[in-house]
CSV table of all heavy atoms in Angstrom, one decimal:
chain,number,residue,atom,x,y,z
A,1,MET,N,14.7,-11.0,13.8
A,1,MET,CA,14.6,-9.6,14.4
A,1,MET,C,13.3,-9.6,15.2
A,1,MET,O,12.2,-9.7,14.6
A,1,MET,CB,14.6,-8.7,13.2
A,1,MET,CG,14.4,-7.2,13.5
A,1,MET,SD,14.4,-6.2,12.1
A,1,MET,CE,16.0,-5.5,12.2
A,2,PRO,N,13.4,-9.5,16.5
A,2,PRO,CA,12.2,-9.6,17.3
A,2,PRO,C,11.2,-8.5,17.1
A,2,PRO,O,10.0,-8.6,17.3
A,2,PRO,CB,12.7,-9.5,18.8
A,2,PRO,CG,14.1,-9.0,18.6
A,2,PRO,CD,14.6,-9.3,17.3
A,3,GLU,N,11.6,-7.3,16.6
A,3,GLU,CA,10.7,-6.2,16.4
A,3,GLU,C,9.7,-6.5,15.3
A,3,GLU,O,8.6,-5.9,15.3
A,3,GLU,CB,11.5,-5.0,16.0
A,3,GLU,CG,12.4,-4.4,17.1
A,3,GLU,CD,13.7,-5.1,17.2
A,3,GLU,OE1,14.1,-5.9,16.4
A,3,GLU,OE2,14.5,-4.7,18.1
A,4,VAL,N,10.0,-7.4,14.4
A,4,VAL,CA,9.0,-7.7,13.3
A,4,VAL,C,8.3,-9.1,13.6
A,4,VAL,O,7.7,-9.6,12.6
A,4,VAL,CB,9.7,-7.7,11.9
A,4,VAL,CG1,10.1,-6.3,11.6
A,4,VAL,CG2,10.8,-8.7,11.8
A,5,SER,N,8.3,-9.6,14.8
A,5,SER,CA,7.7,-10.8,15.1
A,5,SER,C,6.2,-10.9,14.7
A,5,SER,O,5.7,-11.9,14.3
A,5,SER,CB,7.9,-11.2,16.5
A,5,SER,OG,7.3,-10.3,17.4
A,6,ALA,N,5.5,-9.8,14.9
A,6,ALA,CA,4.1,-9.7,14.5
A,6,ALA,C,3.9,-9.9,13.0
A,6,ALA,O,2.9,-10.6,12.6
A,6,ALA,CB,3.4,-8.4,14.9
A,7,LEU,N,4.8,-9.4,12.2
A,7,LEU,CA,4.8,-9.7,10.8
A,7,LEU,C,4.9,-11.2,10.5
A,7,LEU,O,4.2,-11.7,9.7
A,7,LEU,CB,5.8,-8.9,10.1
A,7,LEU,CG,6.0,-9.1,8.6
A,7,LEU,CD1,4.7,-8.7,7.8
A,7,LEU,CD2,7.2,-8.3,8.0
A,8,VAL,N,5.8,-11.8,11.2
A,8,VAL,CA,6.0,-13.2,11.0
A,8,VAL,C,4.8,-14.0,11.5
A,8,VAL,O,4.4,-15.0,10.8
A,8,VAL,CB,7.3,-13.7,11.7
A,8,VAL,CG1,7.5,-15.2,11.6
A,8,VAL,CG2,8.5,-13.0,11.1
A,9,GLU,N,4.3,-13.7,12.6
A,9,GLU,CA,3.3,-14.5,13.3
A,9,GLU,C,1.9,-14.2,12.7
A,9,GLU,O,1.1,-15.2,12.5
A,9,GLU,CB,3.2,-14.2,14.8
A,9,GLU,CG,4.4,-14.6,15.5
A,9,GLU,CD,4.5,-14.1,16.9
A,9,GLU,OE1,3.6,-13.4,17.4
A,9,GLU,OE2,5.6,-14.3,17.6
A,10,MET,N,1.6,-13.0,12.4
A,10,MET,CA,0.2,-12.6,11.9
A,10,MET,C,0.2,-12.2,10.4
A,10,MET,O,-0.9,-11.9,9.9
A,10,MET,CB,-0.3,-11.5,12.8
A,10,MET,CG,-0.5,-11.9,14.2
A,10,MET,SD,-1.2,-10.7,15.3
A,10,MET,CE,0.0,-9.4,15.2
A,11,GLY,N,1.3,-12.0,9.8
A,11,GLY,CA,1.4,-11.5,8.4
A,11,GLY,C,1.2,-10.0,8.2
A,11,GLY,O,1.1,-9.5,7.1
A,12,ARG,N,1.3,-9.3,9.3
A,12,ARG,CA,1.2,-7.8,9.2
A,12,ARG,C,1.7,-7.1,10.5
A,12,ARG,O,1.7,-7.7,11.5
A,12,ARG,CB,-0.3,-7.4,9.0
A,12,ARG,CG,-1.2,-7.7,10.1
A,12,ARG,CD,-2.7,-7.4,9.9
A,12,ARG,NE,-3.0,-6.3,9.1
A,12,ARG,CZ,-3.8,-6.3,8.0
A,12,ARG,NH1,-4.5,-7.4,7.8
A,12,ARG,NH2,-4.0,-5.3,7.3
A,13,ILE,N,2.1,-5.9,10.3
A,13,ILE,CA,2.5,-5.1,11.4
A,13,ILE,C,2.4,-3.6,11.0
A,13,ILE,O,2.6,-3.3,9.8
A,13,ILE,CB,4.0,-5.4,11.9
A,13,ILE,CG1,4.4,-4.6,13.2
A,13,ILE,CG2,5.0,-5.1,10.8
A,13,ILE,CD1,5.7,-5.0,13.8
A,14,THR,N,1.9,-2.8,11.9
A,14,THR,CA,1.8,-1.4,11.5
A,14,THR,C,3.1,-0.6,11.8
A,14,THR,O,3.9,-1.1,12.6
A,14,THR,CB,0.7,-0.7,12.3
A,14,THR,OG1,1.1,-0.6,13.7
A,14,THR,CG2,-0.7,-1.4,12.2
A,15,SER,N,3.3,0.5,11.2
A,15,SER,CA,4.5,1.3,11.4
A,15,SER,C,4.5,1.7,12.9
A,15,SER,O,5.6,1.7,13.5
A,15,SER,CB,4.5,2.5,10.6
A,15,SER,OG,3.3,3.3,10.8
A,16,VAL,N,3.4,2.0,13.5
A,16,VAL,CA,3.4,2.4,14.9
A,16,VAL,C,3.8,1.2,15.8
A,16,VAL,O,4.6,1.4,16.7
A,16,VAL,CB,2.0,2.9,15.3
A,16,VAL,CG1,1.9,3.1,16.8
A,16,VAL,CG2,1.6,4.1,14.6
A,17,GLU,N,3.3,0.0,15.5
A,17,GLU,CA,3.8,-1.2,16.3
A,17,GLU,C,5.3,-1.4,16.2
A,17,GLU,O,5.9,-1.8,17.1
A,17,GLU,CB,3.0,-2.4,15.8
A,17,GLU,CG,1.5,-2.4,16.2
A,17,GLU,CD,0.7,-3.5,15.5
A,17,GLU,OE1,1.1,-3.9,14.4
A,17,GLU,OE2,-0.3,-3.8,16.0
A,18,LEU,N,5.8,-1.2,14.9
A,18,LEU,CA,7.2,-1.4,14.7
A,18,LEU,C,8.0,-0.4,15.5
A,18,LEU,O,9.0,-0.7,16.1
A,18,LEU,CB,7.5,-1.4,13.2
A,18,LEU,CG,8.9,-1.6,12.8
A,18,LEU,CD1,9.5,-2.9,13.4
A,18,LEU,CD2,9.0,-1.6,11.3
A,19,GLU,N,7.6,0.8,15.5
A,19,GLU,CA,8.3,1.9,16.2
A,19,GLU,C,8.3,1.6,17.7
A,19,GLU,O,9.3,1.8,18.4
A,19,GLU,CB,7.7,3.3,15.9
A,19,GLU,CG,7.9,3.7,14.4
A,19,GLU,CD,7.2,5.0,14.0
A,19,GLU,OE1,6.8,5.7,14.9
A,19,GLU,OE2,7.0,5.2,12.8
A,20,ILE,N,7.1,1.2,18.2
A,20,ILE,CA,7.1,0.9,19.6
A,20,ILE,C,8.0,-0.3,20.0
A,20,ILE,O,8.7,-0.2,21.0
A,20,ILE,CB,5.6,0.6,20.1
A,20,ILE,CG1,4.8,1.9,20.0
A,20,ILE,CG2,5.5,0.0,21.5
A,20,ILE,CD1,3.3,1.6,20.1
A,21,ALA,N,8.0,-1.3,19.2
A,21,ALA,CA,8.9,-2.4,19.4
A,21,ALA,C,10.4,-2.0,19.4
A,21,ALA,O,11.2,-2.4,20.2
A,21,ALA,CB,8.7,-3.5,18.4
A,22,LEU,N,10.7,-1.1,18.5
A,22,LEU,CA,12.1,-0.6,18.4
A,22,LEU,C,12.4,0.2,19.7
A,22,LEU,O,13.5,0.1,20.3
A,22,LEU,CB,12.3,0.3,17.2
A,22,LEU,CG,12.3,-0.5,15.9
A,22,LEU,CD1,12.1,0.5,14.7
A,22,LEU,CD2,13.6,-1.2,15.7
A,23,LEU,N,11.5,1.1,20.1
A,23,LEU,CA,11.7,1.8,21.4
A,23,LEU,C,11.8,0.9,22.6
A,23,LEU,O,12.7,1.2,23.5
A,23,LEU,CB,10.5,2.8,21.6
A,23,LEU,CG,10.5,4.0,20.7
A,23,LEU,CD1,9.2,4.8,20.8
A,23,LEU,CD2,11.7,5.0,21.0
A,24,ASN,N,11.1,-0.2,22.6
A,24,ASN,CA,11.1,-1.1,23.7
A,24,ASN,C,12.4,-1.9,23.7
A,24,ASN,O,12.8,-2.6,24.7
A,24,ASN,CB,9.9,-2.1,23.7
A,24,ASN,CG,8.7,-1.4,24.1
A,24,ASN,OD1,8.7,-0.4,24.8
A,24,ASN,ND2,7.6,-1.9,23.7
A,25,ASN,N,13.1,-2.0,22.5
A,25,ASN,CA,14.3,-2.7,22.4
A,25,ASN,C,15.6,-1.9,22.3
A,25,ASN,O,16.6,-2.2,21.7
A,25,ASN,CB,14.2,-3.7,21.2
A,25,ASN,CG,13.3,-4.9,21.5
A,25,ASN,OD1,13.4,-5.4,22.6
A,25,ASN,ND2,12.5,-5.2,20.6
A,26,GLY,N,15.5,-0.6,22.8
A,26,GLY,CA,16.7,0.2,23.0
A,26,GLY,C,16.9,1.4,22.1
A,26,GLY,O,17.9,2.1,22.3
A,27,VAL,N,16.0,1.6,21.1
A,27,VAL,CA,16.2,2.8,20.3
A,27,VAL,C,15.9,4.0,21.2
A,27,VAL,O,14.9,4.0,22.0
A,27,VAL,CB,15.2,2.7,19.1
A,27,VAL,CG1,15.2,4.0,18.3
A,27,VAL,CG2,15.6,1.6,18.2
A,28,SER,N,16.7,5.0,21.1
A,28,SER,CA,16.7,6.1,22.1
A,28,SER,C,15.6,7.1,22.0
A,28,SER,O,15.2,7.8,23.0
A,28,SER,CB,18.0,6.8,22.1
A,28,SER,OG,18.3,7.3,20.9
A,29,SER,N,15.0,7.3,20.8
A,29,SER,CA,14.0,8.4,20.6
A,29,SER,C,13.0,8.0,19.6
A,29,SER,O,13.2,7.1,18.8
A,29,SER,CB,14.7,9.7,20.2
A,29,SER,OG,15.1,9.6,18.8
A,30,ALA,N,11.8,8.7,19.6
A,30,ALA,CA,10.8,8.4,18.7
A,30,ALA,C,11.2,8.7,17.2
A,30,ALA,O,10.8,8.0,16.3
A,30,ALA,CB,9.5,9.2,19.0
A,31,VAL,N,12.0,9.8,17.1
A,31,VAL,CA,12.5,10.1,15.7
A,31,VAL,C,13.4,9.0,15.2
A,31,VAL,O,13.3,8.6,14.1
A,31,VAL,CB,13.3,11.5,15.8
A,31,VAL,CG1,13.9,11.7,14.4
A,31,VAL,CG2,12.3,12.6,16.1
A,32,ASP,N,14.3,8.5,16.0
A,32,ASP,CA,15.2,7.4,15.6
A,32,ASP,C,14.3,6.1,15.3
A,32,ASP,O,14.6,5.4,14.3
A,32,ASP,CB,16.2,7.1,16.7
A,32,ASP,CG,17.3,8.1,16.8
A,32,ASP,OD1,17.5,8.9,15.8
A,32,ASP,OD2,18.0,8.1,17.8
A,33,ALA,N,13.3,5.9,16.1
A,33,ALA,CA,12.5,4.7,15.9
A,33,ALA,C,11.8,4.8,14.6
A,33,ALA,O,11.7,3.8,13.8
A,33,ALA,CB,11.5,4.5,17.0
A,34,ALA,N,11.2,6.0,14.2
A,34,ALA,CA,10.5,6.2,13.0
A,34,ALA,C,11.5,6.0,11.8
A,34,ALA,O,11.1,5.4,10.8
A,34,ALA,CB,9.9,7.6,12.9
A,35,GLU,N,12.7,6.6,11.9
A,35,GLU,CA,13.7,6.4,10.8
A,35,GLU,C,14.1,4.9,10.7
A,35,GLU,O,14.2,4.4,9.5
A,35,GLU,CB,14.9,7.3,11.1
A,35,GLU,CG,14.6,8.7,10.9
A,35,GLU,CD,15.8,9.6,11.3
A,35,GLU,OE1,16.9,9.1,11.7
A,35,GLU,OE2,15.7,10.8,11.2
A,36,LYS,N,14.3,4.3,11.8
A,36,LYS,CA,14.7,2.8,11.7
A,36,LYS,C,13.6,2.0,11.2
A,36,LYS,O,13.8,1.1,10.4
A,36,LYS,CB,15.2,2.3,13.1
A,36,LYS,CG,16.5,2.9,13.5
A,36,LYS,CD,16.9,2.4,14.8
A,36,LYS,CE,18.2,3.1,15.3
A,36,LYS,NZ,19.4,3.0,14.6
A,37,ALA,N,12.3,2.3,11.6
A,37,ALA,CA,11.2,1.6,11.0
A,37,ALA,C,11.1,1.7,9.5
A,37,ALA,O,10.8,0.7,8.8
A,37,ALA,CB,9.9,2.0,11.7
A,38,LEU,N,11.3,2.9,9.0
A,38,LEU,CA,11.2,3.1,7.6
A,38,LEU,C,12.3,2.4,6.9
A,38,LEU,O,12.1,1.8,5.8
A,38,LEU,CB,11.3,4.6,7.3
A,38,LEU,CG,11.1,5.0,5.8
A,38,LEU,CD1,9.8,4.5,5.2
A,38,LEU,CD2,11.2,6.5,5.7
A,39,THR,N,13.5,2.4,7.4
A,39,THR,CA,14.6,1.6,6.9
A,39,THR,C,14.3,0.1,6.8
A,39,THR,O,14.5,-0.5,5.8
A,39,THR,CB,15.9,1.9,7.6
A,39,THR,OG1,16.2,3.3,7.6
A,39,THR,CG2,17.1,1.1,7.1
A,40,ILE,N,13.8,-0.4,7.9
A,40,ILE,CA,13.5,-1.8,8.0
A,40,ILE,C,12.4,-2.1,7.0
A,40,ILE,O,12.5,-3.1,6.3
A,40,ILE,CB,13.0,-2.2,9.4
A,40,ILE,CG1,14.2,-2.1,10.4
A,40,ILE,CG2,12.4,-3.6,9.4
A,40,ILE,CD1,13.8,-2.2,11.8
A,41,THR,N,11.4,-1.3,6.9
A,41,THR,CA,10.3,-1.5,5.9
A,41,THR,C,10.8,-1.5,4.5
A,41,THR,O,10.5,-2.4,3.7
A,41,THR,CB,9.3,-0.3,6.0
A,41,THR,OG1,8.7,-0.4,7.3
A,41,THR,CG2,8.2,-0.5,5.0
A,42,ARG,N,11.7,-0.6,4.1
A,42,ARG,CA,12.3,-0.6,2.8
A,42,ARG,C,13.1,-1.8,2.5
A,42,ARG,O,13.0,-2.4,1.5
A,42,ARG,CB,13.1,0.7,2.6
A,42,ARG,CG,12.3,1.9,2.5
A,42,ARG,CD,13.1,3.2,2.3
A,42,ARG,NE,12.3,4.3,2.2
A,42,ARG,CZ,12.7,5.6,2.4
A,42,ARG,NH1,14.0,5.8,2.8
A,42,ARG,NH2,11.9,6.6,2.2
A,43,TRP,N,13.9,-2.2,3.5
A,43,TRP,CA,14.7,-3.4,3.4
A,43,TRP,C,13.8,-4.7,3.2
A,43,TRP,O,14.1,-5.5,2.3
A,43,TRP,CB,15.6,-3.5,4.6
A,43,TRP,CG,16.5,-4.7,4.6
A,43,TRP,CD1,17.8,-4.7,4.0
A,43,TRP,CD2,16.3,-6.0,5.1
A,43,TRP,NE1,18.4,-5.9,4.2
A,43,TRP,CE2,17.5,-6.7,4.9
A,43,TRP,CE3,15.3,-6.6,5.8
A,43,TRP,CZ2,17.6,-8.0,5.3
A,43,TRP,CZ3,15.4,-7.9,6.2
A,43,TRP,CH2,16.6,-8.6,5.9
A,44,LEU,N,12.8,-4.8,4.0
A,44,LEU,CA,11.9,-6.0,3.9
A,44,LEU,C,11.2,-6.0,2.6
A,44,LEU,O,11.1,-7.1,2.0
A,44,LEU,CB,10.9,-6.0,5.1
A,44,LEU,CG,11.4,-6.3,6.5
A,44,LEU,CD1,10.3,-6.0,7.5
A,44,LEU,CD2,11.9,-7.7,6.6
A,45,THR,N,10.7,-4.9,2.1
A,45,THR,CA,9.9,-4.9,0.9
A,45,THR,C,10.8,-5.1,-0.3
A,45,THR,O,10.4,-5.5,-1.4
A,45,THR,CB,9.0,-3.6,0.7
A,45,THR,OG1,9.8,-2.5,0.8
A,45,THR,CG2,7.9,-3.6,1.8
A,46,PHE,N,12.1,-4.7,-0.2
A,46,PHE,CA,13.0,-4.9,-1.3
A,46,PHE,C,13.4,-6.4,-1.5
A,46,PHE,O,13.4,-6.9,-2.6
A,46,PHE,CB,14.3,-4.1,-1.0
A,46,PHE,CG,15.4,-4.2,-2.1
A,46,PHE,CD1,15.3,-3.5,-3.3
A,46,PHE,CD2,16.4,-5.1,-2.0
A,46,PHE,CE1,16.2,-3.6,-4.3
A,46,PHE,CE2,17.4,-5.3,-3.0
A,46,PHE,CZ,17.3,-4.5,-4.1
A,47,PHE,N,13.6,-7.0,-0.3
A,47,PHE,CA,14.0,-8.4,-0.4
A,47,PHE,C,12.9,-9.5,-0.4
A,47,PHE,O,13.2,-10.6,-0.6
A,47,PHE,CB,15.0,-8.7,0.8
A,47,PHE,CG,16.3,-8.1,0.5
A,47,PHE,CD1,16.7,-7.0,1.3
A,47,PHE,CD2,17.2,-8.6,-0.4
A,47,PHE,CE1,17.9,-6.4,1.1
A,47,PHE,CE2,18.5,-8.0,-0.6
A,47,PHE,CZ,18.8,-6.9,0.1
A,48,ASP,N,11.7,-9.1,-0.1
A,48,ASP,CA,10.6,-10.0,-0.1
A,48,ASP,C,9.5,-9.4,-1.0
A,48,ASP,O,8.7,-8.5,-0.7
A,48,ASP,CB,10.0,-10.2,1.3
A,48,ASP,CG,9.0,-11.3,1.4
A,48,ASP,OD1,8.3,-11.7,0.3
A,48,ASP,OD2,8.8,-11.9,2.5
A,49,ALA,N,9.3,-10.0,-2.2
A,49,ALA,CA,8.4,-9.5,-3.2
A,49,ALA,C,6.9,-9.6,-2.8
A,49,ALA,O,6.1,-9.0,-3.3
A,49,ALA,CB,8.6,-10.3,-4.5
A,50,GLU,N,6.7,-10.4,-1.8
A,50,GLU,CA,5.3,-10.6,-1.3
A,50,GLU,C,4.9,-9.6,-0.2
A,50,GLU,O,3.8,-9.6,0.3
A,50,GLU,CB,5.1,-12.0,-0.8
A,50,GLU,CG,5.1,-13.0,-1.9
A,50,GLU,CD,4.6,-14.4,-1.4
A,50,GLU,OE1,4.2,-14.5,-0.3
A,50,GLU,OE2,4.7,-15.3,-2.2
A,51,LEU,N,5.9,-8.7,0.2
A,51,LEU,CA,5.6,-7.7,1.2
A,51,LEU,C,5.3,-6.4,0.5
A,51,LEU,O,5.9,-6.1,-0.5
A,51,LEU,CB,6.7,-7.5,2.2
A,51,LEU,CG,7.0,-8.7,3.1
A,51,LEU,CD1,8.2,-8.3,4.0
A,51,LEU,CD2,5.8,-9.0,4.0
A,52,HIS,N,4.3,-5.7,1.0
A,52,HIS,CA,4.1,-4.3,0.5
A,52,HIS,C,3.5,-3.5,1.7
A,52,HIS,O,3.1,-4.0,2.7
A,52,HIS,CB,3.1,-4.4,-0.7
A,52,HIS,CG,1.8,-5.0,-0.4
A,52,HIS,ND1,1.6,-6.4,-0.4
A,52,HIS,CD2,0.6,-4.5,-0.1
A,52,HIS,CE1,0.4,-6.6,-0.2
A,52,HIS,NE2,-0.3,-5.5,0.1
A,53,THR,N,3.5,-2.2,1.4
A,53,THR,CA,2.9,-1.3,2.4
A,53,THR,C,1.5,-0.8,2.0
A,53,THR,O,1.3,-0.7,0.8
A,53,THR,CB,3.8,-0.1,2.7
A,53,THR,OG1,4.0,0.6,1.5
A,53,THR,CG2,5.1,-0.5,3.3
A,54,VAL,N,0.7,-0.5,2.9
A,54,VAL,CA,-0.6,0.0,2.7
A,54,VAL,C,-0.6,1.5,3.2
A,54,VAL,O,-0.6,1.7,4.4
A,54,VAL,CB,-1.7,-0.8,3.4
A,54,VAL,CG1,-3.1,-0.2,3.2
A,54,VAL,CG2,-1.7,-2.2,2.9
A,55,PRO,N,-0.7,2.4,2.2
A,55,PRO,CA,-0.6,3.8,2.7
A,55,PRO,C,-2.0,4.4,3.2
A,55,PRO,O,-2.8,4.7,2.5
A,55,PRO,CB,-0.2,4.6,1.4
A,55,PRO,CG,-0.8,3.7,0.3
A,55,PRO,CD,-0.7,2.3,0.8
A,56,ALA,N,-2.1,4.3,4.5
A,56,ALA,CA,-3.3,4.8,5.2
A,56,ALA,C,-2.9,5.3,6.5
A,56,ALA,O,-3.1,4.6,7.5
A,56,ALA,CB,-4.4,3.7,5.2
A,57,GLY,N,-2.5,6.6,6.6
A,57,GLY,CA,-2.0,7.1,7.9
A,57,GLY,C,-0.7,6.3,8.2
A,57,GLY,O,0.2,6.1,7.4
A,58,PRO,N,-0.6,5.8,9.4
A,58,PRO,CA,0.5,4.9,9.7
A,58,PRO,C,0.4,3.6,8.8
A,58,PRO,O,-0.7,3.1,8.6
A,58,PRO,CB,0.3,4.4,11.2
A,58,PRO,CG,-0.6,5.5,11.8
A,58,PRO,CD,-1.4,6.0,10.6
A,59,TYR,N,1.5,3.3,8.2
A,59,TYR,CA,1.4,2.2,7.2
A,59,TYR,C,1.5,0.8,7.9
A,59,TYR,O,1.8,0.7,9.0
A,59,TYR,CB,2.5,2.3,6.2
A,59,TYR,CG,3.9,2.3,6.7
A,59,TYR,CD1,4.6,1.2,7.0
A,59,TYR,CD2,4.5,3.5,7.0
A,59,TYR,CE1,5.8,1.2,7.5
A,59,TYR,CE2,5.8,3.6,7.5
A,59,TYR,CZ,6.5,2.4,7.8
A,59,TYR,OH,7.7,2.4,8.3
A,60,GLU,N,1.0,-0.2,7.1
A,60,GLU,CA,1.2,-1.6,7.5
A,60,GLU,C,2.0,-2.3,6.5
A,60,GLU,O,2.0,-2.0,5.3
A,60,GLU,CB,-0.2,-2.3,7.6
A,60,GLU,CG,-1.1,-1.9,8.7
A,60,GLU,CD,-2.3,-2.7,8.8
A,60,GLU,OE1,-2.6,-3.5,7.9
A,60,GLU,OE2,-3.0,-2.6,9.8
A,61,ILE,N,2.8,-3.2,7.0
A,61,ILE,CA,3.5,-4.1,6.1
A,61,ILE,C,2.7,-5.4,6.1
A,61,ILE,O,2.4,-6.0,7.1
A,61,ILE,CB,4.9,-4.4,6.6
A,61,ILE,CG1,5.7,-3.1,6.9
A,61,ILE,CG2,5.7,-5.3,5.7
A,61,ILE,CD1,6.9,-3.3,7.7
A,62,ILE,N,2.4,-5.9,4.9
A,62,ILE,CA,1.5,-7.0,4.7
A,62,ILE,C,2.1,-8.1,3.8
A,62,ILE,O,2.6,-7.7,2.8
A,62,ILE,CB,0.1,-6.6,4.2
A,62,ILE,CG1,-0.6,-5.6,5.1
A,62,ILE,CG2,-0.8,-7.8,3.9
A,62,ILE,CD1,-1.8,-5.0,4.6
A,63,ARG,N,2.0,-9.3,4.2
A,63,ARG,CA,2.5,-10.4,3.4
A,63,ARG,C,1.3,-10.8,2.4
A,63,ARG,O,0.2,-11.1,2.9
A,63,ARG,CB,2.9,-11.6,4.2
A,63,ARG,CG,3.4,-12.7,3.3
A,63,ARG,CD,4.0,-13.9,4.1
A,63,ARG,NE,5.2,-13.5,4.9
A,63,ARG,CZ,6.4,-13.2,4.4
A,63,ARG,NH1,6.7,-13.3,3.1
A,63,ARG,NH2,7.3,-12.8,5.2
A,64,GLY,N,1.6,-10.8,1.2
A,64,GLY,CA,0.6,-11.2,0.2
A,64,GLY,C,0.9,-10.5,-1.1
A,64,GLY,O,1.5,-9.5,-1.2
A,65,ARG,N,0.4,-11.0,-2.2
A,65,ARG,CA,0.6,-10.4,-3.5
A,65,ARG,C,-0.4,-9.3,-3.7
A,65,ARG,O,-1.5,-9.3,-3.3
A,65,ARG,CB,0.4,-11.5,-4.6
A,65,ARG,CG,1.4,-12.6,-4.4
A,65,ARG,CD,1.3,-13.6,-5.5
A,65,ARG,NE,2.2,-14.7,-5.3
A,65,ARG,CZ,3.2,-15.0,-6.0
A,65,ARG,NH1,3.4,-14.3,-7.1
A,65,ARG,NH2,4.0,-16.0,-5.7
A,66,ARG,N,0.1,-8.3,-4.4
A,66,ARG,CA,-0.7,-7.1,-4.7
A,66,ARG,C,-1.6,-7.5,-5.9
A,66,ARG,O,-1.3,-8.2,-6.8
A,66,ARG,CB,0.2,-6.0,-5.2
A,66,ARG,CG,0.9,-5.3,-4.1
A,66,ARG,CD,1.6,-4.1,-4.6
A,66,ARG,NE,2.2,-3.3,-3.5
A,66,ARG,CZ,2.6,-2.1,-3.6
A,66,ARG,NH1,2.6,-1.5,-4.8
A,66,ARG,NH2,3.1,-1.5,-2.6
A,67,MET,N,-2.8,-6.9,-5.8
A,67,MET,CA,-3.7,-7.0,-6.9
A,67,MET,C,-3.4,-6.0,-8.0
A,67,MET,O,-3.1,-4.9,-7.6
A,67,MET,CB,-5.2,-6.8,-6.4
A,67,MET,CG,-5.6,-7.7,-5.4
A,67,MET,SD,-5.9,-9.4,-6.0
A,67,MET,CE,-7.5,-9.1,-6.8
A,68,PRO,N,-3.4,-6.4,-9.2
A,68,PRO,CA,-3.0,-5.4,-10.3
A,68,PRO,C,-4.0,-4.3,-10.5
A,68,PRO,O,-5.1,-4.3,-10.0
A,68,PRO,CB,-2.9,-6.2,-11.6
A,68,PRO,CG,-3.4,-7.6,-11.2
A,68,PRO,CD,-3.6,-7.7,-9.8
């Protein structure tokens, strides 16, 4: 999925970067991009235990284990 290439390459991507990538790849509106980004985030974090979000304004998806 090219929209999450920054996550693969750098280990992180912000929600804003993901939404922009979605808009650049054919998603028709900012609202649709935000909804799709959230769906992708939930999907990625469900299937990869090492991914998590950091709640600080626009969120980031980060590869790495959470500290307890």
Side-chain angles (χ1 to χ4, degrees):
M1 180 179 252
E3 293 85 2
V4 295
S5 63
L7 175 60
V8 174
E9 294 168 7
M10 297 182 296
R12 67 187 324 133
I13 187 171
T14 67
S15 58
V16 172
E17 292 168 333
L18 181 53
E19 290 172 24
I20 290 169
L22 289 164
L23 286 167
N24 289 336
N25 285 318
V27 174
S28 59
S29 72
V31 172
D32 286 343
E35 290 175 0
K36 289 181 188 301
L38 185 56
T39 299
I40 291 167
T41 300
R42 289 179 177 158
W43 184 85
L44 289 171
T45 57
F46 180 82
F47 287 104
D48 188 337
E50 291 189 6
L51 291 179
H52 59 277
T53 58
V54 176
Y59 59 84
E60 288 187 351
I61 307 167
I62 299 173
R63 179 172 303 282
R65 296 182 186 243
R66 284 186 175 194
M67 299 289 282

